[in-house]
Amino acid sequence: MKLTGKQTWQFENPLFVHSSGTAVGPKEADGPLGQYFDIKHKELHCGEDNWELAERRLMEQAVEQCLTKGNKTIDEIDLFLAGDLLNQNVTANYVARHLSLPFLCMFGACSTSMETVAMGSALVDGGFASQVIAATSSHNATAERQFRYPTEYGGQKPDTATFTVTGSGAVLINKEVSNIKITSATIGKVADLGIKDPFDMGSAMAPAAADTIAQHLKDLNRTPDDYDLFLTGDLSGVGSPIVKELLKEEGYDVHDKHNDCGLMVYRPDQKVFAGGSGCGCSAVVTYSHIFNELNAGNLKRVFVVATGALLSPTMIQQKESIPTIAHGVVFERADGGVNS
């Protein structure tokens, strides 16, 4: 791996997505991408006794699907990288307990999907591991209980609010040739424009996404024409127009090449306010639909930029503004076996 420019890692060895797995809740299964998800639950409890156990089951199932589709056993995996939205990353920690693998717990809020992929790729590229699983998850009810109001409270929300995705995604990274290659990653900087409203994450996170995309293009001396898609994580209906305007001010027009996972995972009539968000948002969309498009050759190069709001209820109660971050990974179509 080499550092190119200020923030971009270019991987020197061929790295590939060997396989991926996804598990989602009922609203996600009923959305426009429902056909692409591996496991679809009909109710939010996912067969468990509480919300937190349900989220844990989602991550365990995503990892199991990743292993099964990749024809790997758990004993063949060198390292597990994972994180989630809950305090002390309890979903990832308890899944790691179940898997009994060497484990690095990571937290980047909703940017965790690409943070784990970037770090996993760097470790494989550097020879510190051969088989790495990167995973993340979120659950609508666990996130609401922790960050806002429990679902049972029935609190009203503004149109700028996002709807936390119930889902988990896992990806296996190694050097075994497949149709999806991981070529570079851009590590984001924390941005904070003073926004304090936890019900307006799109506006808060858009500047971080714009900064990471612009820096990536500068570091690699590329233009938007070098990409088929710039996919942000969970800016949804509020943040997506903002990131496009911010990039246009920087001289990068991505209007025709940008989409957002939070806008893709649900239909407008599903009553999700501004769209989807959460650690699982970018993971389930990227590791299912986007990978399918890369496998099919419909996409050649995609820059996935997962966005995260680094807030906590304590800081919001203390009237602090919301720091945000965005990490991006480039996935490219390669000629090889299709396992994902």
Side-chain angles (χ1 to χ4, degrees):
M1 183 186 79
K2 65 178 181 179
L3 177 65
T4 301
K6 292 183 177 180
Q7 295 166 226
T8 299
W9 298 345
Q10 283 191 287
F11 303 118
E12 298 183 288
N13 292 292
L15 304 178
F16 298 92
V17 171
H18 184 79
S19 59
S20 63
T22 53
V24 300
K27 193 177 287 286
E28 295 72 23
D30 189 46
L33 304 181
Q35 62 179 310
Y36 300 108
F37 302 131
D38 295 315
I39 295 179
K40 294 170 273 193
H41 290 275
K42 295 181 179 180
E43 49 86 31
L44 274 177
H45 278 96
C46 305
E48 300 292 343
D49 292 335
N50 59 56
W51 308 128
E52 287 74 20
L53 285 173
E55 183 173 343
R56 197 183 307 173
R57 184 176 186 186
L58 289 168
M59 186 181 285
E60 289 176 351
Q61 290 178 324
V63 172
E64 289 168 1
Q65 285 293 306
C66 186
L67 289 169
T68 299
K69 292 161 65 179
N71 195 28
K72 299 287 184 182
T73 66
I74 195 69
D75 292 336
E76 294 178 87
I77 305 305
D78 300 313
L79 186 63
F80 180 50
L81 302 176
D84 55 272
L85 288 177
L86 302 186
N87 287 339
Q88 287 77 52
N89 278 316
V90 291
T91 302
N93 289 337
Y94 280 74
V95 171
R97 179 185 69 178
H98 167 72
L99 296 175
S100 191
L101 285 170
F103 172 55
L104 288 175
C105 187
M106 307 190 73
F107 179 80
C110 300
S111 72
T112 302
S113 64
M114 293 305 109
E115 181 180 26
T116 53
V117 171
M119 184 58 68
S121 299
L123 291 170
V124 173
D125 189 51
F128 298 100
S130 297
Q131 310 281 343
V132 171
I133 288 182
T136 190
S137 68
S138 56
H139 190 289
N140 187 268
T142 65
E144 290 300 305
R145 173 157 37 207
Q146 178 167 300
F147 288 99
R148 301 180 184 95
Y149 304 106
T151 304
E152 297 85 352
Y153 181 78
Q156 298 299 302
K157 297 180 181 178
D159 290 339
T160 56
T162 51
F163 191 90
T164 304
V165 164
T166 298
S168 176
V171 61
L172 173 57
I173 303 162
N174 60 26
K175 295 179 182 178
E176 299 174 29
V177 177
S178 76
N179 274 345
I180 303 174
K181 191 174 181 180
I182 303 171
T183 57
S184 63
T186 298
I187 306 305
K189 302 193 301 286
V190 173
D192 187 341
L193 268 66
I195 293 174
K196 299 182 179 181
D197 184 0
F199 291 107
D200 187 7
M201 294 291 92
S203 296
M205 294 187 293
D211 184 77
T212 297
I213 294 171
Q215 190 63 54
H216 175 82
L217 294 172
K218 293 173 185 175
D219 286 348
L220 297 182
N221 193 27
R222 291 176 178 170
T223 73
D225 291 337
D226 293 314
Y227 295 81
D228 296 308
L229 177 65
F230 293 88
L231 184 67
T232 48
D234 41 6
L235 301 181
S236 296
V238 175
S240 292
I242 295 174
V243 76
K244 288 185 281 191
E245 288 304 313
L246 289 173
L247 285 168
K248 190 173 182 180
E249 291 176 6
E250 290 285 324
Y252 302 110
D253 188 353
V254 300
H255 276 72
D256 295 332
K257 295 193 173 188
H258 172 264
N259 207 337
D260 186 81
C261 296
L263 296 175
M264 298 171 68
V265 71
Y266 299 123
R267 298 188 312 273
D269 65 349
Q270 287 186 284
K271 299 181 180 179
V272 291
F273 306 98
S277 64
C279 287
C281 185
S282 56
V284 300
V285 173
T286 302
Y287 303 164
S288 62
H289 174 59
I290 298 302
F291 282 1
N292 282 349
E293 291 295 286
L294 284 163
N295 268 321
N298 298 325
L299 294 171
K300 302 294 186 183
R301 179 184 283 163
V302 179
F303 189 36
V304 181
V305 182
T307 45
L310 306 174
L311 79 164
S312 77
T314 301
M315 295 299 99
I316 293 300
Q317 290 164 10
Q318 294 177 6
K319 309 303 180 185
E320 285 273 8
S321 56
I322 301 170
T324 64
I325 197 162
H327 302 299
V329 175
V330 175
F331 299 96
E332 298 188 24
R333 164 72 184 194
D335 294 325
V338 181
N339 293 325
S340 59

